[in-house]
Amino acid sequence: MTIQTLIDSGLFRSVVAGSTDKQIEKIFCCDLLSIAMSKAPEHGAWVTVMGNRNTLAVASLTDISCIILAEGVSFTEEDLECAREENIAVFTTPLPIFDAALAVHNLL
Amino acid sequence: MAENLTFRYKISGDDFTRAGEASSNVKSKLKQMGVDNNAIRKVAIAMYEGEINMVIHANGGTITVEISSDNIHLVLADTGPGIADIEKAMREGYSTAPEEVRSLGFGAGMGLPNMKKYSDNMTIESVVGVGTTVTMDIHL
């Protein structure tokens, strides 16, 4: 599915649309950026509670398709501006990580 | 590529939020050059980990990237505290990163092991109190 499909599903709040035609093929859950850096899959939807500027850097460097911030975590407005510049899709949800990942999995 | 290309980056040591800018820049350049995606990913991960290490431990430094037709050569040099026990530092999970860095999701003791894993060749030269130079090659 594409980012647009995930936006249209209404499952999560779409904060930055990013490249809406980007494909989502896998789901990746991790909060340690060092591990995410080496393991995050290309075309993955990354579910995490680590919402800081470095999360965006890791997302950009690993070519993941979108970040889904779980547990009500959000980026600062400054970080969101950076996500817009880098064209990284960002979603937020009050759901826990597992439930958020499962919801995406059910759409794949 | 007819001749080698060299890029130099000065890494600032005081702004953790900006760590990764040099790696992102190199990644974009390699993409524009049409370098193989797998090699780009390896360079991006290895260089980013090195960049983060420089910010966490060494108050910044310089990164030189040399791109030739069959290899990408990275030299990361700092004048930080040096690594007392390189063998220990190479062990996954061993970390001397401060708590504030860990709370941002780093400092898990994966940096150097990741750099070794994603490069085809890596050497570390370090003198305590003088600094550290890490060189890495990623073959194309």
Side-chain angles (χ1 to χ4, degrees):
Chain A
M1 70 165 159
T2 62
I3 297 289
Q4 190 61 52
T5 316
L6 191 54
I7 294 173
D8 293 341
S9 76
L11 277 174
F12 312 124
R13 189 165 163 248
S14 166
V15 200
V16 178
S19 313
T20 50
D21 56 348
K22 245 189 182 175
Q23 288 291 323
I24 297 174
E25 291 167 4
K26 287 176 182 165
I27 303 155
F28 178 72
C29 302
C30 184
D31 298 320
L32 257 178
L33 299 186
S34 306
I35 291 177
M37 192 62 217
S38 68
K39 299 274 179 68
E42 200 179 339
H43 303 304
W46 179 17
V47 190
T48 181
V49 293
M50 191 58 77
N52 61 52
R53 183 69 64 92
N54 304 105
T55 312
L56 295 171
V58 171
S60 160
L61 287 164
T62 55
D63 280 327
I64 61 128
S65 297
C66 68
I67 298 169
I68 300 165
L69 289 179
E71 297 279 10
V73 171
S74 56
F75 282 120
T76 63
E77 190 43 50
E78 223 183 353
D79 291 347
L80 287 175
E81 192 48 49
C82 175
R84 282 181 208 109
E85 274 168 28
E86 295 276 331
N87 223 6
I88 303 167
V90 178
F91 295 89
T92 59
T93 175
L95 289 174
I97 289 178
F98 176 81
D99 299 79
L102 186 64
V104 182
H105 179 75
N106 288 338
L107 282 181
L108 285 182
Chain B
M1 267 168 274
E3 53 189 272
N4 294 1
L5 283 172
T6 304
F7 301 104
R8 272 190 192 84
Y9 298 91
K10 189 164 173 16
I11 309 303
S12 157
D14 53 8
D15 191 353
F16 198 72
T17 60
R18 288 187 57 194
E21 283 184 2
S23 307
S24 288
N25 189 285
V26 169
K27 189 187 167 191
S28 313
K29 284 198 165 81
L30 294 176
K31 264 196 171 163
Q32 282 165 12
M33 288 175 201
V35 171
D36 167 67
N37 263 344
N38 191 42
I40 294 178
R41 188 178 162 87
K42 285 163 77 175
V43 171
I45 292 172
M47 183 171 162
Y48 182 60
E49 292 285 10
E51 205 179 331
I52 288 284
N53 272 351
M54 279 180 162
V55 178
I56 295 176
H57 299 288
N59 197 30
T62 56
I63 301 181
T64 310
V65 184
E66 281 174 44
I67 305 165
S68 60
S69 57
D70 59 354
N71 190 54
I72 295 172
H73 183 65
L74 302 167
V75 181
L76 298 88
D78 69 58
T79 52
I83 304 168
D85 188 336
I86 292 177
E87 200 185 315
K88 232 183 195 177
M90 286 303 301
R91 222 178 281 159
E92 272 189 28
Y94 178 80
S95 176
T96 56
E99 184 51 41
E100 73 218 61
V101 169
R102 290 170 195 253
S103 69
L104 289 170
F106 290 102
M110 302 288 290
L112 287 171
N114 274 348
M115 287 157 76
K116 188 168 177 63
K117 189 171 152 195
Y118 284 94
S119 59
D120 294 303
N121 178 49
M122 174 171 122
T123 58
I124 305 174
E125 282 171 41
S126 190
V127 179
V128 173
V130 179
T132 301
T133 300
V134 178
T135 58
M136 292 184 284
D137 288 288
I138 288 102
H139 304 322
L140 296 176

